[in-house]
Amino acid sequence: MDIDALLTSAAINTGLSVLLFSLYSILRKQPSNSIVYFGRRLASLNNRNSRNHFSFERFVPSPSWIVKAWETTENEILAIGGLDAVVFQRTLVFSIRVFSIAAVMCLFLVLPVNYYGQEMKHKHIHAESLNVFTIANVKEGSRWLWAHCLTLYIISCSACVLLYFEYKSITKMRLAHITTSPPNPSHFTILVRSIPYSVGESYSNSVKKFFTDYYSSSYLSHQIVYRCGLVQKLMVDAEKICTKIKAVPNGQPSLKPCCLCGGSTSFKVLTDEPESVKDSFSYSNLNLATRDNERSAAFVIFKTRYAAVIATQMLQSPNPMSWVTELAPEPHDVLWSNLCIPFRQLWLRKIVTLLASVVFMVLFLAPVTFVQGLTQLEKLSQTFPFLRGFLKQDLINHVLTGYLPSVILMLFLYTVPPTMMLFSSVEGPVSRSGRKRSACLKILYFTIWNVFFVNHVSGGFLFAFNMLSSVGDIPVELAKAIPNQASFFVTYVLTSGWASLSCEVMQPFSLLCNFLKKHLRRNHEDSSDGLVSFPYHTEIPRVLLFGLIGFTYSVMAPLILPFLLIYFLLAYLVYRNQVVNVYIRKYESGGQLWPIVHNTTIFSLVLTQMIAIGVFGIKKSPIASGFTIPLIICTLLFNEYCRQRFSPIFKKNVAQVLIEMDRRDEQSGRMEEIHQQMHSAYCQLPLTSHEFCESVHKLCQDNIRGQEDTKPGKEPSEVSEPCAVCNFGKEDNIRE
């Protein structure tokens, strides 16, 4: 690719980005689109955008949203999006800092060395090949290769120093999040799975007996998990319908007319007060909470946080596959449907999803190889001779080599997140954050392999697969291929980076759904039911992939750094705007995504250093290769230090912190109030509030006492069922 093709791609992507950003600044001012672009604010403030009057300002693009996003503080991000949103923002800040340093060093030191690396007569800049600006243009044995080695040292050391301070800061934020937040039910609760079956005894009684015997001083209560069945799904559908039915004032005949037939339908709607629901509720409706519907899983609640942690740190029985314990996720984070999966199936499910992921990655080689064929017009014209005249046109040549390959690859990549989310669901995680974290890792591995490695390895082959003979050949192959593939990854940053950010801020899918709802279905009510949480599982792999590309090409092809730096700056503003206005927070993982960011960054640094050794070897510079080896060792030692110093805090709770929190609550007299709240915290009935769960619990206890009075011969243990926790599958309707 020459500079003209690169400029063509940059012009197309810049034009599209400016157009979409301008459209966004106009569409966000329209009152009908407030639920699309201000959904989180509408959900939290329960208000509407009142700008229904016509004004010229509503139809003029303005950068006001950029200013507001820039002025938003980190504390506001923490209050709105939680610690996970702050971690994502800190990832972008780290990327901006480290690649700013890389851009200054590489553009002023490495780029001139690359450009004048050969004794040749240069063309005009716009007609030069992009390879002239890469390390491939430096002649073998050149003494100027020390500039690349020095720059690699500066970038690696800067990245490690910035990573250390970010890791330290986020660790403090995580501890502060635990200590300063309101009492979290997950700190008092453990999830028990694989409860042994006893003939003639319910799972509930088995749990009560076990924890009363072995944790008598700290055990508080428990809640059995019940299976999710057809009745629960029907209740979900009924709830959806009820949310769409609005009460009609007296004297008005009906709801809004049907958009298809034009008719009308009258409904008698109950008041939305909780008392009306309570009055119409009877214990006979709780027949789902029977022994036959019990699953071998339960939430066990302890009196203190420390007792709950201790219960998860040791085996509960000589059989490690029985009475398996782990800390419970937050109530809103529980993935109820997966709690019904038998614990003994989980290892098989993980193997199946691993094999399915590998098969999917192999099948994805076909579109990647096709895309790489488009970047090599010589071989394309040899394969299809009738296209030679068509491919000789300059505009067609520039579009095919500079824009089309990255667009096609980006379209294929849109199929990856839903597929990996499906695989993660089948694995059986017990929390939504765990499912999203698992999907994040799968997408990250997939994109690094198929977008980075396969694009380099298959760059010299058209419509063919290139299988490496051994893993040890990867650095050498990459060292040979990276200078030649710089053009593709520059355009990939433009297309998948800049264009994706403009699409992110536009929200085209939500905008289309909102248009269809208001103009075809004639429903002008703004409902918060369709609001989504932040897609960390797709955006973090994207940012980390660009980080890998940036580290790898910073020394080899420095021309990519300005485009990459612009992407991170735009991402910083766009995602701040989305966190503040669009996405809602449904649960909190406490910054568990940062270790993924740290480990991937270390991997990127080490891979870059190994590739540099290969490139220096090809360029016959043994001194530069030798000086790079200590850099790899120091980077790995730094990673080991961080793993020992910070990583355990993200895996385990700190006993000292939990004990101090327990003492503080006991001294303030709040522990009893907290214990009362724990009884309904993990109510599996998501249709109503916690107050309704508590009322159901009281009804259960009244009915139990009535049964004991009418059946004196019956064992109390057979009817001592806690609050019915019948899941109605609502978690399946929450979009993530």
Side-chain angles (χ1 to χ4, degrees):
M1 178 194 292
D2 55 22
I3 296 298
D4 280 339
L6 176 62
L7 294 178
T8 301
S9 176
I12 294 174
N13 285 284
T14 302
L16 286 176
S17 299
V18 171
L19 175 62
L20 292 177
F21 282 131
S22 301
L23 283 175
Y24 165 72
S25 66
I26 295 174
L27 293 174
R28 69 192 298 269
K29 300 176 185 178
Q30 311 309 313
S32 60
N33 297 328
S34 58
I35 192 62
V36 177
Y37 299 119
F38 299 96
R40 190 208 63 82
R41 290 195 174 187
L42 291 177
S44 60
L45 302 177
N46 195 23
N47 64 357
R48 303 278 178 83
N49 194 330
S50 59
R51 295 180 297 175
N52 292 321
H53 61 280
F54 176 83
S55 65
F56 181 73
E57 187 230 349
R58 279 173 46 191
F59 301 94
V60 177
S62 64
S64 59
W65 68 274
I66 298 178
V67 177
K68 292 178 181 178
W70 178 265
E71 293 176 348
T72 303
T73 64
E74 188 173 272
N75 290 333
E76 292 174 341
I77 295 292
L78 182 62
I80 294 171
L83 188 56
D84 292 335
V86 174
V87 166
F88 185 68
Q89 288 293 314
R90 299 304 300 178
T91 304
L92 295 172
V93 170
F94 164 78
S95 301
I96 292 172
R97 289 173 176 172
V98 71
F99 287 114
S100 296
I101 297 173
V104 171
M105 290 298 302
C106 294
L107 293 180
F108 291 99
L109 179 60
V110 176
L111 189 63
V113 172
N114 291 344
Y115 187 71
Y116 295 105
Q118 297 278 359
E119 296 179 359
M120 56 181 293
K121 185 177 181 180
H122 288 282
K123 307 175 185 177
H124 293 290
I125 293 293
H126 66 86
E128 290 279 14
S129 172
L130 199 59
N131 287 338
V132 175
F133 299 93
T134 68
I135 199 172
N137 196 51
V138 179
K139 63 182 179 180
E140 296 181 356
S142 173
R143 60 187 180 87
W144 287 103
L145 287 171
W146 68 265
H148 300 77
C149 185
L150 175 64
T151 304
L152 184 62
Y153 260 87
I154 294 175
I155 294 173
S156 300
C157 293
S158 302
C160 289
V161 170
L162 292 173
L163 267 181
Y164 172 79
F165 285 110
E166 291 295 342
Y167 217 152
K168 184 178 180 180
S169 175
I170 292 172
T171 301
K172 290 181 179 179
M173 290 183 187
R174 175 173 169 79
L175 293 175
H177 169 75
I178 295 174
T179 55
T180 60
S181 59
N184 193 333
S186 64
H187 294 164
F188 294 84
T189 310
I190 68 172
L191 174 63
V192 183
R193 308 181 77 180
S194 190
I195 303 171
Y197 176 76
S198 300
V199 180
E201 189 174 35
S202 65
Y203 284 118
S204 179
N205 288 335
S206 298
V207 172
K208 186 175 182 181
K209 270 188 184 179
F210 183 88
F211 285 94
T212 302
D213 289 344
Y214 300 106
Y215 296 89
S216 56
S217 61
S218 57
Y219 167 73
L220 182 63
S221 64
H222 71 277
Q223 291 181 353
I224 287 291
V225 176
Y226 291 84
R227 69 177 180 181
C228 310
L230 178 61
V231 177
Q232 291 90 329
K233 300 299 182 183
L234 293 175
M235 289 296 294
V236 172
D237 295 337
E239 184 194 9
K240 285 183 180 179
I241 296 175
C242 289
T243 57
K244 298 181 183 299
I245 300 176
K246 305 297 181 182
V248 181
N250 294 332
Q252 294 187 10
S254 64
L255 295 174
K256 57 182 179 290
C258 174
C259 63
L260 296 178
C261 58
S264 61
T265 307
S266 298
F267 292 93
K268 180 181 179 181
V269 182
L270 292 175
T271 177
D272 56 357
E273 296 296 326
E275 287 74 13
S276 65
V277 181
K278 295 178 185 178
D279 295 340
S280 62
F281 186 85
S282 66
Y283 182 75
S284 61
N285 296 328
L286 290 176
N287 55 6
L288 292 173
T290 63
R291 183 183 303 179
D292 294 336
N293 288 330
E294 287 182 350
R295 302 290 91 185
S296 61
F299 289 98
V300 179
I301 305 170
F302 289 83
K303 295 178 182 179
T304 62
R305 301 171 179 87
Y306 180 70
V309 171
I310 291 299
T312 61
Q313 298 301 316
M314 59 185 68
L315 294 175
Q316 304 300 323
S317 71
N319 182 6
M321 297 294 289
S322 297
W323 297 103
V324 181
T325 58
E326 62 179 294
L327 284 175
E330 291 184 0
H332 294 291
D333 194 17
V334 177
L335 195 58
W336 293 98
S337 59
N338 281 354
L339 295 180
C340 300
I341 299 173
F343 182 78
R344 299 176 186 273
Q345 288 185 8
L346 294 181
W347 68 274
L348 183 60
R349 286 171 172 261
K350 291 181 179 180
I351 293 175
V352 171
T353 53
L354 176 62
L355 293 176
S357 301
V358 172
V359 170
F360 184 62
M361 291 174 66
V362 171
L363 293 177
F364 205 82
L365 290 175
V368 172
T369 307
F370 170 74
V371 166
Q372 282 302 315
L374 293 179
T375 63
Q376 300 177 7
L377 296 184
E378 296 82 5
K379 294 192 176 183
L380 190 64
S381 60
Q382 292 175 6
T383 306
F384 304 102
F386 59 90
L387 294 177
R388 290 178 181 174
F390 180 72
L391 296 176
K392 288 181 179 179
Q393 301 180 24
D394 290 340
L395 180 61
I396 301 299
N397 187 303
H398 294 162
V399 171
L400 284 179
T401 59
Y403 182 70
L404 193 59
S406 54
V407 171
I408 295 176
L409 182 60
M410 187 179 67
L411 293 177
F412 277 109
L413 287 174
Y414 277 120
T415 63
V416 176
T419 304
M420 294 305 179
M421 182 63 81
L422 175 62
F423 291 161
S424 298
S425 299
V426 173
E427 272 186 348
V430 297
S431 64
R432 297 189 185 97
S433 61
R435 177 175 63 178
K436 186 169 285 190
R437 189 161 55 250
S438 175
C440 177
L441 287 171
K442 289 182 176 63
I443 297 172
L444 179 62
Y445 297 152
F446 182 93
T447 52
I448 288 178
W449 172 251
N450 278 286
V451 177
F452 186 80
F453 285 104
V454 175
N455 269 289
H456 284 108
V457 174
S458 63
F461 297 89
L462 185 64
F463 309 111
F465 301 110
N466 183 13
M467 303 304 293
L468 297 176
S469 58
S470 65
V471 178
D473 294 335
I474 292 179
V476 178
E477 294 292 333
L478 290 176
K480 295 177 181 177
I482 277 180
N484 298 325
Q485 292 298 312
S487 58
F488 170 78
F489 281 98
V490 172
T491 58
Y492 182 80
V493 170
L494 292 171
T495 304
S496 184
W498 295 12
S500 66
L501 288 176
S502 57
C503 289
E504 166 64 30
V505 78
M506 273 287 293
Q507 294 287 306
F509 180 76
S510 299
L511 191 65
L512 177 62
C513 292
N514 183 64
F515 176 83
L516 295 176
K517 183 184 77 169
K518 292 188 174 181
H519 294 277
L520 295 183
R521 296 176 57 191
R522 302 182 185 179
N523 181 5
H524 296 279
E525 296 292 333
D526 289 334
S527 173
S528 61
D529 293 337
L531 298 182
V532 298
S533 58
F534 196 95
Y536 295 107
H537 63 294
T538 61
E539 303 312 309
I540 284 185
R542 189 196 305 274
V543 172
L544 294 179
L545 174 65
F546 286 138
L548 172 61
I549 295 172
F551 282 120
T552 305
Y553 280 92
S554 57
V555 177
M556 307 301 165
L559 206 58
I560 198 174
L561 290 174
F563 303 103
L564 200 62
L565 196 55
I566 292 174
Y567 164 77
F568 285 120
L569 289 170
L570 286 176
Y572 177 78
L573 296 173
V574 167
Y575 288 122
R576 272 181 170 249
N577 176 77
Q578 301 302 87
V579 169
V580 172
N581 295 319
V582 179
Y583 296 116
I584 63 174
R585 179 176 56 169
K586 295 179 179 178
Y587 45 81
E588 176 70 62
S589 72
Q592 291 286 353
L593 295 170
W594 177 255
I596 299 177
V597 175
H598 174 85
N599 294 334
T600 306
T601 304
I602 293 295
F603 168 79
S604 303
L605 287 173
V606 173
L607 181 63
T608 301
Q609 294 156 7
M610 294 175 64
I611 293 172
I613 292 178
V615 173
F616 293 151
I618 293 174
K619 293 296 180 179
K620 297 181 179 180
S621 178
I623 297 178
S625 298
F627 271 100
T628 308
I629 294 175
L631 186 60
I632 297 177
I633 297 174
C634 292
T635 305
L636 293 176
L637 290 175
F638 166 77
N639 179 58
E640 183 62 21
Y641 172 78
C642 291
R643 193 180 69 84
Q644 299 288 340
R645 172 63 180 85
F646 301 116
S647 182
I649 297 177
F650 290 83
K651 297 178 181 178
K652 299 178 182 179
N653 287 326
V654 183
Q656 180 182 350
V657 173
L658 297 181
I659 292 173
E660 289 178 356
M661 293 173 67
D662 289 334
R663 288 175 179 173
R664 187 167 61 245
D665 290 335
E666 288 174 357
Q667 292 172 0
S668 63
R670 297 179 56 209
M671 194 60 84
E672 256 189 60
E673 179 186 350
I674 294 173
H675 289 169
Q676 292 176 358
Q677 296 174 355
M678 293 300 108
H679 288 291
S680 60
Y682 286 91
C683 185
Q684 200 173 345
L685 196 75
L687 295 177
T688 53
S689 62
H690 290 305
E691 291 78 6
F692 180 58
C693 292
E694 293 174 358
S695 68
V696 173
H697 181 75
K698 293 179 182 178
L699 286 172
C700 294
Q701 297 301 325
D702 294 340
N703 189 278
I704 289 170
R705 286 193 290 270
Q707 291 183 10
E708 290 175 350
D709 294 337
T710 56
K711 300 180 181 180
K714 194 174 183 72
E715 289 294 329
S717 62
E718 296 183 20
V719 293
S720 60
E721 195 67 57
C723 173
V725 277
C726 306
N727 174 43
F728 293 109
K730 189 173 183 179
E731 75 281 349
D732 296 330
N733 299 315
I734 296 180
R735 295 172 56 195
E736 296 183 315

